[in-house]
Amino acid sequence: METEFTAKPHEMSAIKKVIGVMSGKGGVGKSAVTSMLAVTMKRKGYKVAILDADITGPSIPKAFGLSTKAKGSEHGMLPVTSKTGIEIMSINLLLQNETDPVIWRGPLVGNTVKQFWTDVIWGEIDFMFIDMPPGTGDVSLTVFQSIKLDGLIVVTSPQDLVSMVVSKAVRMAEKMNIPVLGLVENMSYFQCPDCKSIHSLFGESKLEKTAKEHGLEVLAQIPVDPRISAACDRGMIELFEGDWFDGFEKILEKK
């Protein structure tokens, strides 16, 4: 049921599914996971969009190699379309220089995210992915309250504190009545390209145990792969190779 805080999208937008991508802490590759999810769904023929809610650390435009700035019309703001047709809105698409810092207080940041939802003409979208800022702070709360999410994906890494960090994110989602679709572990392992042996660079994964503790599904375990980082750095994430999210639409059908 919608709360009194829930905002409606632009009247010229028709968005079917809205998925938040969240991490309890920074540095786990949340934006890369968001990008790869969007690219995977686009490859399957869906109409896809990314709302970059990480206002103070926006990295989505760089991953997609976007240099064109967002423009507006008399009806509202227009997202920038990626090379393969993914609609994207990020604060870096509005700044004169992408390296300009966003030195804003929380309420202004939260209001900007809300405007990306209400004032942007997204058009017809099958899947919108919202790249959330790390943690469970003010902007995450704004997204949860303002935008009717169909589900949340929590991105983790194989570290000792992962269980505690995941617990915080999951419990916040539960308090806001948002279903958690499952967990994605990034930097899960490294596979030697020569001998194909698998190495746990950051310690043994506790993902299965953590997922079981919270009754959650493991959606994907993504390896340490320099090609993913290189693709993001060069703005070529749409060329990444990997089938980790190929069954994602089936997860949504259960919800």
Side-chain angles (χ1 to χ4, degrees):
M1 187 176 74
E2 293 187 7
T3 70
E4 60 179 307
F5 300 106
T6 305
K8 292 182 179 180
H10 192 282
E11 60 181 8
M12 296 172 69
S13 299
I15 305 166
K16 294 179 181 178
K17 293 283 186 180
V18 183
I19 310 299
V21 183
M22 183 181 188
S23 64
K25 61 187 289 294
V28 300
K30 169 187 53 61
S31 295
V33 170
T34 303
S35 301
M36 289 188 287
L37 275 165
V39 172
T40 299
M41 292 302 104
K42 182 63 182 177
R43 288 175 181 174
K44 290 180 175 291
Y46 294 102
K47 298 175 182 176
V48 181
I50 299 177
L51 189 161
D52 188 357
D54 195 353
I55 301 296
T56 57
S59 53
I60 294 294
K62 181 176 177 59
F64 284 87
L66 299 180
S67 57
T68 304
K69 299 301 179 183
K71 298 178 180 178
S73 72
E74 58 182 308
H75 301 292
M77 290 189 289
L78 300 171
V80 175
T81 305
S82 76
K83 300 177 187 71
T84 62
I86 298 173
E87 303 293 341
I88 297 172
M89 177 54 76
S90 170
I91 192 67
N92 264 15
L93 300 177
L94 298 174
L95 299 175
Q96 185 173 358
N97 300 303
E98 65 174 20
T99 56
D100 288 345
V102 179
I103 310 174
W104 296 346
R105 293 193 180 274
L108 186 56
V109 173
N111 189 56
T112 300
V113 171
K114 189 174 179 179
Q115 283 188 294
F116 283 174
W117 173 252
T118 60
D119 295 1
V120 172
I121 304 172
W122 292 101
E124 293 187 11
I125 298 296
D126 295 314
F127 289 97
M128 171 180 281
F129 296 97
I130 299 183
D131 187 27
M132 311 267 286
T136 55
D138 188 47
V139 177
S140 296
L141 182 61
T142 296
V143 172
F144 286 169
Q145 289 184 326
S146 302
I147 301 174
K148 187 177 183 301
L149 297 177
D150 293 287
L152 189 72
I153 292 172
V154 179
V155 182
T156 73
S157 62
Q159 297 173 353
D160 289 338
L161 296 177
V162 67
S163 181
M164 180 189 70
V165 170
V166 169
S167 294
K168 288 179 179 291
V170 170
R171 286 173 181 167
M172 182 179 188
E174 289 173 347
K175 288 181 179 294
M176 304 301 294
N177 295 317
I178 298 168
V180 179
L181 302 179
L183 305 179
V184 172
E185 185 176 69
N186 194 27
M187 300 177 284
S188 184
Y189 58 89
F190 172 76
Q191 185 170 25
C192 176
D194 298 321
C195 67
K196 304 301 180 185
S197 60
I198 292 178
H199 305 273
S200 300
L201 299 181
F202 300 102
E204 292 299 322
S205 172
K206 300 176 179 63
L207 186 66
E208 295 288 351
K209 180 182 176 182
T210 303
K212 187 175 182 180
E213 288 175 354
H214 296 282
L216 297 175
E217 187 169 352
V218 174
L219 299 180
Q221 289 180 278
I222 302 172
V224 175
D225 190 335
R227 293 175 300 178
I228 297 175
S229 300
C232 288
D233 290 341
R234 296 171 184 169
M236 301 171 68
I237 193 61
E238 287 163 295
L239 299 179
F240 93 94
E241 298 177 5
D243 57 0
W244 305 294
F245 303 113
D246 278 357
F248 180 72
E249 67 269 34
K250 295 179 182 178
I251 303 296
L252 280 180
E253 289 172 1
K254 299 179 183 178
K255 302 299 178 181

